């Protein structure tokens, strides 16, 4: 004020003993403006927030007859004044900003109303519930409590107009801010005074401490996980189905493809798990990876069945060739052609097809067809073709069943979790 030299204003005389205002209960209004959010660490369940705090209360001791507010921006003067004893209950670390000067301002109105604002950065703990990860919503709270004064002494409430606001330019890479809400805490607080007693406050009852909570409702951005997790995983599963179109006699190619996709999927899943805390429950991404692992494991089992049929086919084929090498050459049987593979060809001109039901010891069947004896190479060749066609049938069915089943699983999975994502979670301290 121009009427008084710096430091000589009469109101400064009231700052020597940091007296608490005499009103009972003292009404303190509180609010904050979030400047920036970031550094969400899922493994530690914390995040950083840079905010401006605003508090207002009335102290009749500081009444003055000036026509305008008195501005106090000197940190030494601020240290001499009484300030509400509030603290952030779930902040792990916190610090005030003092570059280039201590970031605060304090105005005193003629009626003694004090408006105090300062900048602070917090590292806040947030309990994450990851059952629906990465299709989850989270509620992170910033809890503010009175440290020393019960409500009969100091009652802290939110500002009635916009108690919590945030910078619209905030753009989190992992979350979208869906809402900011102000509420009040409900809990039991013990403040030890002596060895055998404590000062207890319980909200909404006599002697309770003021407890405010600002809730940030966040929804995880799914785009990153679609590109980095879901789409690559689905493609890996689809690549494993190429095995159904590879020649069923190409054992090394089919086994190598299945094991390569299995190891690739396992490595990708481990990379995601390392970025999350080791929780005791399964997450949505775990179910997806688990089912994808089962599909690739199913491809291996399918090839085991196909290979079993092909080994039997090879056994009968070798027996037929052995009989031929011993000089037994029965008349060929003209049959059907195996459309997928030219593996039933015999002597360059004939194909062994489905044989009629043979008599016990060979001879003529009921339909008059010549029935070869038990050691006829044609019989063994027929068995070889039969098992080969069974293997082919398994591959042909797998080409339809595996993609169809995987599509049904994806439809159920996304419908279930997208519907759950519509539900708003409750805050848990």
């Amino acid at each position: 004020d121009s009427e008084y030299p710096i430091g000589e204003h009469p109101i400064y005389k009231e700052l020597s003993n940091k007296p608490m205002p005499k009103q009972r209960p003292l009404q303190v209004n509180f609010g904050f403006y979030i400047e920036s959010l970031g550094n969400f660490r899922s493994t530690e369940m914390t995040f950083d927030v840079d905010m401006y705090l605003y508090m207002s209360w009335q102290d009749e001791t500081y009444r003055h007859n000036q026509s305008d507010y008195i501005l106090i921006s000197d940190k030494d003067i601020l240290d001499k004044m009484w300030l509400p004893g509030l603290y952030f209950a779930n902040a792990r670390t916190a610090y005030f900003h003092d570059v280039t000067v201590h970031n605060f301002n304090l105005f005193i109105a003629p009626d003694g109303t004090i408006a105090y604002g300062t900048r602070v950065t917090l590292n806040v703990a947030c309990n994450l519930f990851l059952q629906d990860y990465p299709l989850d919503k989270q509620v992170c709270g910033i809890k503010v409590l009175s440290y020393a004064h019960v409500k009969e002494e100091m009652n802290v409430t939110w500002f009635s107009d916009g108690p919590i606001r945030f910078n619209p330019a905030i753009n989190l890479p992992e979350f979208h801010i869906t809402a900011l809400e102000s509420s009040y805490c409900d809990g039991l607080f013990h403040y030890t005074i002596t060895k055998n007693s404590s000062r207890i406050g319980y909200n909404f009852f006599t002697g309770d401490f003021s407890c405010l909570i600002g809730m940030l409702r966040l929804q995880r951005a799914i785009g990153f996980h679609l590109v980095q997790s879901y789409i690559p995983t689905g493609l890996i599963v689809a690549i494993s189905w190429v095995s159904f179109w590879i020649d069923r006699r190409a054992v090394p190619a089919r086994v190598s493809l299945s094991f390569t996709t299995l190891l690739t999927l396992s490595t990708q899943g481990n990379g995601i798990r390392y970025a999350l805390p080791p929780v005791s429950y399964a997450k949505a991404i775990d179910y997806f990876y688990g089912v994808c692992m089962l599909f690739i494991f199913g491809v291996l089992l399918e090839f085991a069945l196909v290979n079993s049929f092909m080994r039997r086919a090879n056994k009968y084929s070798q027996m037929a060739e052995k009989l031929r090498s011993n000089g037994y050459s029965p008349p060929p049987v003209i049959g059907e052609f195996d459309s997928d593979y030219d593996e039933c060809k015999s002597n360059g001109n004939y194909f062994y097809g489905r044989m009629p039901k043979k008599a016990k010891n060979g001879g003529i069947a009921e339909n008059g067809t010549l029935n070869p004896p038990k050691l006829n190479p044609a019989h063994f060749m027929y068995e070889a073709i039969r098992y080969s066609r069974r293997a082919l049938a398994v591959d042909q069915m797998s080409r339809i069943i595996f993609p169809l089943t995987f599509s049904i699983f994806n439809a159920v999975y996304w419908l279930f979790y997208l519907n759950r994502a519509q539900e708003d979670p409750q805050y848990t301290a």
Side-chain angles (χ1 to χ4, degrees):
D1 195 304
S2 59
E3 298 182 7
Y4 299 92
I6 296 177
E8 296 296 329
H9 197 284
I11 201 169
Y12 292 160
K13 298 178 181 179
E14 304 293 337
L15 304 177
S16 57
N17 298 321
K18 301 178 73 170
M20 180 180 178
K22 299 178 182 179
Q23 300 94 309
R24 293 293 182 275
L26 176 65
Q27 295 293 330
V28 177
N29 297 318
F30 183 87
F32 56 81
Y33 176 89
I34 298 177
E35 178 64 31
S36 64
L37 281 171
N39 202 15
F40 282 85
R41 294 181 289 273
S42 298
T43 53
E44 300 178 10
M45 293 193 178
T46 61
F47 68 97
D48 294 338
V49 55
D50 184 16
M51 64 171 63
Y52 297 96
L53 303 182
Y54 301 104
M55 288 182 283
S56 177
W57 66 96
Q58 186 176 27
D59 189 347
E60 296 181 354
T61 306
Y62 296 143
R63 287 179 178 270
H64 59 86
N65 56 6
Q66 304 299 313
S67 58
D68 201 357
Y69 291 91
I70 296 177
L71 170 62
I72 295 178
S73 58
D74 189 343
K75 182 65 167 57
D76 293 333
I77 297 177
L78 180 68
D79 291 339
K80 296 179 181 180
M81 299 186 63
W82 179 90
L83 298 176
L86 303 179
Y87 73 103
F88 295 94
N90 59 334
R92 294 187 176 181
T93 58
Y95 64 90
F96 293 99
H97 291 257
D98 53 7
V99 178
T100 58
V101 294
H102 190 82
N103 297 171
F104 85 97
N105 57 39
L106 189 148
F107 294 91
I108 304 177
D111 61 353
T113 299
I114 298 174
Y116 170 68
T118 186
R119 183 185 177 193
V120 61
T121 295
L122 309 172
N123 178 247
V124 184
C126 177
N127 293 329
L128 301 178
F129 296 93
L130 302 171
Q131 292 93 337
D132 298 338
Y133 177 91
L135 302 168
D136 57 327
K137 288 184 176 181
Q138 302 294 339
V139 181
C140 293
I142 301 176
K143 187 183 292 187
V144 183
L145 278 79
S146 170
Y147 200 91
H149 302 289
V150 294
K151 279 190 175 181
E152 285 77 5
E153 299 171 347
M154 184 179 70
N155 182 31
V156 185
T157 58
W158 291 104
F159 283 110
S160 58
D161 183 19
I164 302 177
R165 295 173 293 133
F166 72 99
N167 184 356
I170 294 177
N171 187 15
L172 301 178
E174 191 175 358
F175 290 99
H176 300 298
I177 301 176
T178 59
L180 292 175
E181 301 175 359
S182 58
S183 184
Y184 295 89
C185 316
D186 183 11
L188 185 64
F189 309 102
H190 289 263
Y191 289 80
T192 301
I193 298 177
T194 63
K195 180 179 180 181
N196 299 319
S197 64
S198 62
R199 190 176 190 181
I200 300 177
Y202 191 83
N203 285 1
F204 312 118
F205 289 93
T206 303
D208 63 320
F209 289 82
S210 295
C211 180
L212 283 64
I213 182 167
M215 292 182 293
L216 285 76
R217 295 194 175 272
L218 306 171
Q219 183 173 9
R220 195 179 302 273
I222 189 60
F224 171 81
H225 298 280
L226 280 176
V227 175
Q228 298 294 327
S229 301
Y230 285 104
I231 293 178
T233 303
L235 291 177
I236 291 173
V237 175
I239 290 172
S240 69
W241 300 336
V242 176
S243 174
F244 304 145
W245 278 269
I246 298 177
D247 190 336
R248 52 193 179 279
R249 291 166 296 190
V251 177
R254 295 185 66 161
V255 172
S256 299
L257 177 61
S258 298
F259 274 103
T260 300
T261 53
L262 188 65
L263 293 175
T264 303
L265 183 63
S266 177
T267 302
Q268 188 175 10
N270 289 335
I272 294 179
R273 295 186 189 97
Y274 291 150
L276 297 173
V279 294
S280 59
Y281 48 82
K283 302 174 287 295
I285 192 70
D286 294 331
Y287 289 119
F288 189 84
Y289 271 95
V291 172
C292 290
M293 195 78 70
L294 288 177
F295 270 92
I296 297 180
F297 185 69
V299 173
L300 280 170
L301 294 181
E302 186 271 349
F303 177 67
L305 180 60
V306 168
N307 190 51
S308 175
F309 288 144
M310 290 305 299
R311 283 189 292 108
R312 292 189 181 187
N314 292 335
K315 180 185 70 172
Y316 284 114
S317 179
Q318 292 172 5
M319 292 173 67
E321 293 296 333
K322 187 175 182 181
L323 286 177
R324 286 180 184 175
S325 65
N326 291 334
Y328 183 80
S329 180
V333 179
I334 300 176
E336 299 171 349
F337 175 66
D338 188 338
S339 60
D340 266 36
Y341 302 117
D342 188 9
E343 64 181 15
C344 305
K345 199 167 185 179
S346 174
N347 297 328
N349 297 315
Y350 298 99
F351 301 89
Y352 291 94
R354 181 174 299 278
M355 299 290 291
K357 183 177 180 181
K358 60 185 177 63
K360 185 175 183 180
N361 294 316
I364 305 299
E366 297 178 356
N367 58 2
T369 306
L370 177 64
N371 195 14
K374 203 168 188 180
L375 296 178
N376 192 326
H379 165 68
F380 293 119
M381 187 58 70
Y382 161 69
E383 292 294 332
I385 295 173
R386 186 165 66 92
Y387 280 108
S388 179
R389 286 178 177 172
R390 283 188 181 181
L392 176 62
V394 173
D395 273 345
Q396 289 175 336
M397 289 188 296
S398 298
R399 296 170 191 174
I400 299 174
I401 293 175
F402 274 77
L404 179 61
T405 307
F406 190 68
S407 299
I408 294 174
F409 160 72
N410 271 275
V412 174
Y413 178 90
W414 290 104
L415 286 175
F416 177 77
Y417 281 105
L418 290 178
N419 286 334
R420 281 172 62 91
Q422 304 301 322
E423 303 174 3
D424 290 329
Q426 300 297 320
Y427 174 78
T428 302

